[in-house]
Amino acid sequence: MRPESTNGTGGGGLAVPMAWLCAEYVADELLRAGALVEPGSLEYRAGRRTLALTVYLGDGTGDTPGGAEDRLEEWLTRTAHGHPWKEWVRERLDGAPEPGGEDPDADLTLARETWRLLESTHLLATDLGALSAGGPADGVMVDESDRTWLPSWQVGLPLGHLALRLY
């Protein structure tokens, strides 16, 4: 994917990652609209990064007629509890061409760096892994005082999903 702009230079200049910047903007707007956590908090950043990766790596179904609803439905499906989001992200990033050479893909570079941050940054949070796919209706209760260190994407994923539901 070639960038739409090269920072005002006639070519060969700094690549502007327009697709990634748009994905971050959409993620930021969704989280702000949901008002679930304080902007700037670690949880907010985890949610924004998780949603931005979901938006950027999505199938692009929003480019078809009725696309906005299709795209939102795709994001909801990808972020739903029980969906193998981590594997989906790895598969999409591993299948993408390696950046490098004379024309590095700035979008993909930022997506890969975001994934690295989501995996390496851990947050102290309630472990929602005890929930079954059916949730509390199955009689499974989560002890919110029982906290553990989780990769930040595990905190950002349910936050992003809830923000999408509230949209």
Side-chain angles (χ1 to χ4, degrees):
M1 166 182 339
R2 292 194 54 80
E4 295 175 9
S5 171
T6 55
N7 206 21
T9 62
L14 179 63
V16 178
M18 292 306 295
W20 180 257
L21 292 175
C22 288
E24 276 192 329
Y25 174 78
V26 167
D28 193 59
E29 287 298 310
L30 287 166
L31 283 172
R32 285 183 190 277
L36 298 167
V37 292
E38 189 67 34
S41 67
L42 292 174
E43 293 83 359
Y44 184 88
R45 284 187 260 169
R48 187 184 70 220
R49 288 175 179 155
T50 302
L51 273 178
L53 265 178
T54 305
V55 169
Y56 176 73
L57 296 173
D59 294 330
T61 54
D63 300 333
T64 61
E69 289 128 18
D70 292 344
R71 182 171 281 174
L72 182 62
E73 191 58 41
E74 176 195 356
W75 298 339
L76 280 166
T77 301
R78 298 280 182 218
T79 59
H81 182 74
H83 183 274
W85 186 84
K86 177 181 176 180
E87 292 77 14
W88 176 76
V89 169
R90 282 187 175 165
E91 179 182 300
R92 302 291 289 211
L93 290 176
D94 290 346
E98 281 296 319
E102 294 181 21
D103 185 29
D105 189 341
D107 294 305
L108 189 56
T109 300
L110 287 172
R112 284 188 169 125
E113 177 61 14
T114 296
W115 177 239
R116 187 193 67 74
L117 287 170
L118 283 169
E119 281 196 309
S120 64
T121 304
H122 287 71
L123 302 175
L124 187 60
T126 301
D127 187 5
L128 298 177
L131 286 177
S132 67
D138 291 340
V140 177
M141 298 301 293
V142 176
D143 181 3
E144 292 184 30
S145 65
D146 186 21
R147 300 169 71 83
T148 187
W149 290 99
L150 299 171
S152 62
W153 68 266
Q154 287 185 351
V155 174
L157 195 60
L159 180 63
H161 183 78
L162 188 53
L164 288 166
R165 282 270 176 224
L166 293 173
Y167 180 71

